[in-house]
Amino acid sequence: MIQNRNNARRSNIYSLTDLNSFFRLFLSVAAAFTSPAAPKTSTALEANRRDALAQIAAVGAAFVPLSANAIRDNDTVKYLGGGAVVDLNNANVRVYLKMPGLYPTIAGKIVTNGPYANVGDVYKIPGLSSKEQEVIKKYESRFTVTTPQADYVVDKFNNGLYR
């Protein structure tokens, strides 16, 4: 008798009326969370707003500076320490670490006494000893001079690299 009741319950669980009522409930809940599909009509005020915003956007776009005007790279970048040749006017003081004997004393003097018109001007640094001039002479072929760039001169003394 208990077995018959369990079988009856199982058959009632999957009856068509239960599934039908489940789908009805599901659809009514889904319908409660959706907005009615009423057609939208555009008013004259909305059209005027749209036109005004389009005109404002067009005027604003005319005043946006073009990124093509920005200097992204120039010829002096290759002389800032990434290669064998170093620019005396724009290179950072740490570049001279690659040249034994120059850093920190002679490199500090080179950086603080620029700009230089030519490589030979580096020998005119006040207080430069003959020993220091010999060290500079050793690396003279690796030096070049270009026009000082404001972007690089700012970082000549301290580029913010600490250990």
Side-chain angles (χ1 to χ4, degrees):
M1 185 148 157
I2 293 175
Q3 216 171 14
N4 289 339
R5 280 188 207 159
N6 287 339
N7 288 340
R9 284 185 191 158
R10 284 185 192 141
S11 65
N12 286 340
I13 291 174
Y14 299 110
S15 70
L16 287 177
T17 55
D18 288 340
L19 287 174
N20 193 11
S21 61
F22 171 76
F23 283 119
R24 284 184 189 170
L25 177 66
F26 178 76
L27 290 175
S28 64
V29 170
F33 290 103
T34 59
S35 61
K40 279 194 156 188
T41 57
S42 179
T43 63
L45 181 61
E46 288 176 3
N48 288 340
R49 284 184 187 164
R50 233 179 290 125
D51 292 340
L53 288 174
Q55 290 174 356
I56 290 170
V59 170
F63 290 106
V64 174
L66 300 174
S67 62
N69 294 336
I71 297 172
R72 303 175 114 208
D73 248 353
N74 61 32
D75 294 333
T76 61
V77 171
K78 59 186 171 191
Y79 302 126
L80 296 178
V85 180
V86 174
D87 180 10
L88 293 173
N89 287 332
N90 293 306
N92 184 277
V93 70
R94 290 181 151 258
V95 170
Y96 300 100
L97 279 167
K98 297 177 181 179
M99 300 173 206
L102 285 179
Y103 186 83
T105 308
I106 300 172
K109 290 180 180 181
I110 292 172
V111 169
T112 56
N113 287 290
Y116 305 101
N118 56 47
V119 175
D121 287 350
V122 78
Y123 296 107
K124 299 176 186 173
I125 295 174
L128 197 65
S129 70
S130 61
K131 185 86 171 161
E132 292 171 332
Q133 286 180 354
E134 288 175 19
V135 175
I136 292 173
K137 184 76 171 164
K138 180 178 167 184
Y139 298 107
E140 185 177 8
S141 64
R142 293 184 59 188
F143 296 143
T144 190
V145 174
T146 61
T147 306
Q149 303 288 325
D151 296 339
Y152 306 125
V153 172
V154 171
D155 294 330
K156 278 175 57 172
F157 312 107
N158 181 4
N159 61 357
L161 296 177
Y162 306 102
R163 284 196 160 212

